[in-house]
């Protein structure tokens, strides 16, 4: 088998994790997962520059109900000698649910996590480690599952990630300002590298002497040599690395809820893997783990049930690593032919829109045909960066509208009105090729310019163009590292 690398799966991770062809036993060096937390919340894909008439689409609903799938999962746990205790934990959680009467069922959440954590243990190498990111909602229950599945002796750390500023205006409790990351090693010989922070001013002053072995200080006649900064402990504070707290305007932000900073994942990957190792993120979201793995020379495989996420991750990686070819990342579970695209557009209009917006690289989605309320004529928003000599790149925005069926002259004119209403620069109407003439014959002739060229305010872009990876007629929408905003 050739080495697996840069693989994205737009599927429910349960099926992928149990597929022994995709993920053989003892195949992965490091697993990081940032799953839903059972927070009883709905997380949207926001884009705050747009008006209030734009309804955000749910990235995922972190609310859990018991149904037929959960019955099947529980029966599976009951059927194994080593997994019956997991079933017992789930049943206890269901009794807690009955007492507390929460709308999101803890038992349903835990049984779904248990059946996914079990194959994670199978695919992890004996030298591998797993980091599970969670919060107060169900973290202590998840640790019970981890203790059963990986063994209490495999527990290494409960890492406290103190994530920073704001949120102090609370009355009846202390401000909740941290997540928890449970770190388990599969065996005593699992990879672990001791990491250190920067040399502090105190250490710099103390280790002021130097000889051929390096800097040192003397005490009681003995020399103590500086080995680097203070070793990191199990409390990871945002002050240790400024990058751990992302401002609302940071280009690293992709408008994805629960997004984590790259620096956090870099620390985990550096601590528990080596260059060339395979990193798996089974809830990869907007791809922060995969971004960090690519930066550090690790191979990676990501799974996310969202078609939008799969496209967003691909665009993110290609954006930040310009040396990669367009076909360097293999994405499974998305249409690859025009017939597959037409079937998706016919069978599931919303999933078709999510696929298109993600594949184009939109940083937000808004229109949900299955829910009431205005969408403001916006399906997605794509940032791009006009080139103006002597100026730092500044993001402008194109409104994306997706049509899987017929395109009418009114819909083309409506897109132009939407662009003006939201003070965007451009509008892109994505359709099948047989509808493109309607766009071209009814769009306004207005254009905009930068120092590199002239571009239409309204343009058609076909699904065929998307599948063939033909570029949009816009200034760059992948801001390469040599032009990065500061």
């Amino acid at each position: 088998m050739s080495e697996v690398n840069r693989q994205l799966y737009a599927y429910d991770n349960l099926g992928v994790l149990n597929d022994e062809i995709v993920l053989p036993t003892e195949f992965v060096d490091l697993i990081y997962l940032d799953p839903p937390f059972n927070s009883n919340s709905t997380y949207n894909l926001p884009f705050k520059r747009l008006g209030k008439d734009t309804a955000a689409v749910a990235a995922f609903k972190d609310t859990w109900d018991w149904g037929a799938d959960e019955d099947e999962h529980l029966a599976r746990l009951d059927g194994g000698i080593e997994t019956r205790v997991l079933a017992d934990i789930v049943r206890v959680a269901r009794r807690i649910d009955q007492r507390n009467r929460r709308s999101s069922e803890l038992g349903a959440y835990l049984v779904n996590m248990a059946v996914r954590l079990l194959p994670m243990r199978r695919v992890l190498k004996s030298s591998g480690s797993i980091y599970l990111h969670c919060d107060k909602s169900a973290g202590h229950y998840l640790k019970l599952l981890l203790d059963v599945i990986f063994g209490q002796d495999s527990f290494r750390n409960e890492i406290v990630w103190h994530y920073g500023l704001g949120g102090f205006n609370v009355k009846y409790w202390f401000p909740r300002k941290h997540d928890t990351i449970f770190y388990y090693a599969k065996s005593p010989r699992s990879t672990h590298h001791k990491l250190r922070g920067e040399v502090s001013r105190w250490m710099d002053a103390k280790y002021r002497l130097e000889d051929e072995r390096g800097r040192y200080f003397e005490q009681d006649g003995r020399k103590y040599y500086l080995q680097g900064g203070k070793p990191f402990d199990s409390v990871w504070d945002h002050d240790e690395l400024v990058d751990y707290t992302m401002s609302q305007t940071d280009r690293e932000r992709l408008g994805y809820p629960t997004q984590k900073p790259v620096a956090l994942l870099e620390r985990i990957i550096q601590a528990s893997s080596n260059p060339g190792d395979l990193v798996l993120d089974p809830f990869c979201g907007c791809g922060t783990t995969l971004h960090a793995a690519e930066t550090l020379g690790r191979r990676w495989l990501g799974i996310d049930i969202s078609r939008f996420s799969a496209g967003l991750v691909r665009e993110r990686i290609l954006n930040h690593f310009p040396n990669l070819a367009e076909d360097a990342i293999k994405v499974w579970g998305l249409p690859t032919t025009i017939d597959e695209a037409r079937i998706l557009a016919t069978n599931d209009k919303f999933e078709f829109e999510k696929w298109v917006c993600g594949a184009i690289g939109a940083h937000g989605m808004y229109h949900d045909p299955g829910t009431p309320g205005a969408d403001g004529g916006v399906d997605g928003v794509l940032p791009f960066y006009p080139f103006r000599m002597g100026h730092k790149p500044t993001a402008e925005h194109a409104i994306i509208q997706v049509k899987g069926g017929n395109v009418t002259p009114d819909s083309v004119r409506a897109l132009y009105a939407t662009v003006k209403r939201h003070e965007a620069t451009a509008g892109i109407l994505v359709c099948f090729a047989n509808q493109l003439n309607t766009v071209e014959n009814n769009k306004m002739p207005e254009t905009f310019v930068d120092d590199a060229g002239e571009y239409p305010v309204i343009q058609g872009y076909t699904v065929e163009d998307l599948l063939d990876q033909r570029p949009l007629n816009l200034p760059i929408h992948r801001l390469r590292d040599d032009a990065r905003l500061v």
Side-chain angles (χ1 to χ4, degrees):
M1 177 183 291
S2 60
E3 283 197 333
V4 168
N5 191 18
R6 303 188 184 109
Q7 303 276 308
L8 278 172
Y9 287 82
Y11 295 110
D12 185 331
N13 59 24
L14 183 60
V16 181
L17 289 166
N18 283 302
D19 189 327
E20 297 192 26
I21 296 177
V22 175
L23 289 171
T25 298
E26 297 223 349
F27 189 64
V28 173
D29 297 282
L30 172 63
I31 299 174
Y32 169 85
L33 62 153
D34 180 15
F37 289 175
N38 193 37
S39 63
N40 198 25
S41 300
T42 296
Y43 293 93
N44 293 327
L45 292 166
F47 199 84
K48 296 180 180 178
R49 293 179 179 85
L50 290 179
K52 292 182 179 179
D53 63 335
T54 313
V57 161
F60 60 90
K61 293 183 179 180
D62 193 9
T63 303
W64 301 80
D65 299 305
W66 195 276
D69 287 345
E70 286 68 31
D71 284 330
E72 183 179 334
H73 295 334
L74 185 61
R76 177 186 165 196
L77 297 178
D78 270 326
I81 296 174
E82 295 182 355
T83 58
R84 286 175 189 166
V85 65
L86 296 172
D88 291 339
I89 293 171
V90 171
R91 275 188 280 268
V92 169
R94 297 204 73 193
R95 289 198 288 273
I96 294 173
D97 287 333
Q98 292 166 1
R99 168 175 285 188
N100 293 333
R101 298 179 181 177
R102 293 188 76 219
S103 57
S104 181
E105 295 188 32
L106 175 63
Y109 171 73
L110 291 179
V111 78
N112 276 280
M113 288 302 301
V115 296
R116 287 163 171 80
L117 287 167
L118 280 166
M120 289 184 212
R121 186 183 189 283
R122 176 188 66 79
V123 306
L124 194 62
K125 290 181 181 178
S126 58
S127 59
S129 300
I130 182 170
Y131 289 74
L132 190 156
H133 196 132
C134 55
D135 73 354
K136 61 178 180 58
S137 303
H140 37 305
Y141 299 101
L142 289 169
K143 188 176 186 304
L144 284 174
L145 300 184
L146 290 165
D147 281 346
V148 172
I149 294 170
F150 289 92
Q152 289 176 290
D153 292 341
S154 293
F155 174 68
R156 286 278 177 90
N157 285 107
E158 177 181 347
I159 298 166
V160 173
W161 176 45
H162 177 249
Y163 47 72
L165 308 175
F168 290 98
N169 188 25
V170 294
K171 186 174 181 180
Y172 296 108
W173 54 79
F174 296 109
R176 295 163 177 165
K177 299 303 300 177
H178 78 276
D179 286 351
T180 299
I181 305 172
F182 292 118
Y183 167 27
Y184 282 71
K186 193 171 181 182
S187 75
R189 63 180 184 277
S190 292
T191 300
H192 182 80
H193 303 294
K194 189 174 184 178
L195 302 181
R196 296 176 179 269
E198 298 294 326
V199 175
S200 67
R201 284 181 291 180
W202 175 84
M203 297 175 74
D204 191 56
K206 185 173 184 178
Y207 290 83
R208 61 187 183 276
L209 303 173
E210 188 171 1
D211 62 16
E212 67 278 358
R213 290 183 56 190
R215 293 168 61 184
Y216 68 94
F217 79 94
E218 286 187 315
Q219 184 177 20
D220 299 328
R222 297 182 61 186
K223 291 182 179 180
Y224 295 85
Y225 286 89
L226 182 65
Q227 300 297 316
K230 179 184 176 182
F232 292 130
D233 55 28
S234 61
V235 178
W236 296 1
D237 194 88
H238 71 280
D239 289 334
E240 295 175 349
L241 275 172
V242 175
D243 288 346
Y244 272 35
T245 301
M246 295 183 293
S247 71
Q248 293 295 326
T249 57
D250 196 315
R251 194 178 71 88
E252 189 179 315
R253 284 193 178 274
L254 299 173
Y256 198 86
T258 74
Q259 181 178 349
K260 304 302 183 294
V262 172
L264 175 66
L265 274 300
E266 287 179 345
R267 180 176 292 190
I268 289 171
I269 292 170
Q270 287 174 323
S272 294
S273 70
N274 297 306
D277 282 354
L278 179 61
V279 177
L280 167 65
D281 186 340
F283 295 88
C284 70
C286 65
T288 301
T289 305
L290 315 181
H291 183 157
E294 186 71 34
T295 299
L296 296 172
R298 273 62 167 177
R299 296 177 295 121
W300 53 263
L301 188 151
I303 312 169
D304 200 279
I305 197 169
S306 167
R307 289 184 172 93
F308 177 84
S309 291
L312 181 64
V313 171
R314 179 182 178 276
E315 284 296 308
R316 176 181 185 172
I317 300 298
L318 292 176
N319 178 23
H320 283 85
F321 301 95
N323 58 306
L324 295 180
E326 292 279 340
D327 60 355
I329 300 170
K330 176 64 177 176
V331 184
W332 305 87
L334 302 182
T336 58
T337 67
I338 196 64
D339 287 340
E340 291 173 353
R342 288 188 182 279
I343 290 170
L344 181 60
T346 301
N347 293 343
D348 196 327
K349 180 180 178 180
F350 188 32
E351 285 300 313
F352 177 73
E353 290 177 3
K354 288 201 290 186
W355 166 60
V356 168
C357 287
I360 285 179
H363 284 197
M365 285 193 65
Y366 303 90
H367 177 51
D368 185 346
T371 59
D375 64 14
V378 180
D379 291 337
V381 173
L382 177 69
F384 61 89
Y385 303 87
F387 174 67
R388 296 186 173 93
M389 188 69 70
H391 296 273
K392 292 181 180 179
T394 301
E396 297 184 18
H397 302 93
I399 300 293
I400 299 170
Q401 198 167 76
V402 182
K403 298 290 184 183
N406 291 331
V407 177
T408 66
D410 283 346
S411 64
V412 181
R413 291 189 284 267
L415 176 58
Y416 179 78
T418 299
V419 168
K420 295 303 179 182
R421 184 170 70 252
H422 290 299
E423 298 182 347
T425 303
I428 303 164
L429 201 155
V430 183
C431 59
F432 288 98
N434 63 347
Q435 300 295 314
L436 185 62
N437 282 341
T438 303
V439 181
E440 297 301 316
N441 292 336
N442 292 277
K443 71 180 185 179
M444 297 293 289
E446 188 176 340
T447 62
F448 67 98
V449 298
D450 68 1
D451 290 348
E454 184 176 6
Y455 313 92
V457 169
I458 300 297
Q459 64 178 279
Y461 185 73
T462 69
V463 177
E464 289 83 348
D465 290 333
L466 182 63
L467 290 170
D468 290 339
Q469 298 180 359
R470 287 193 281 268
L472 293 159
N473 187 14
L474 287 174
I476 58 171
H477 63 280
R478 291 180 185 149
L479 189 61
R480 300 302 192 181
D481 286 344
D482 59 357
R484 181 165 296 182
L485 296 176
V486 295

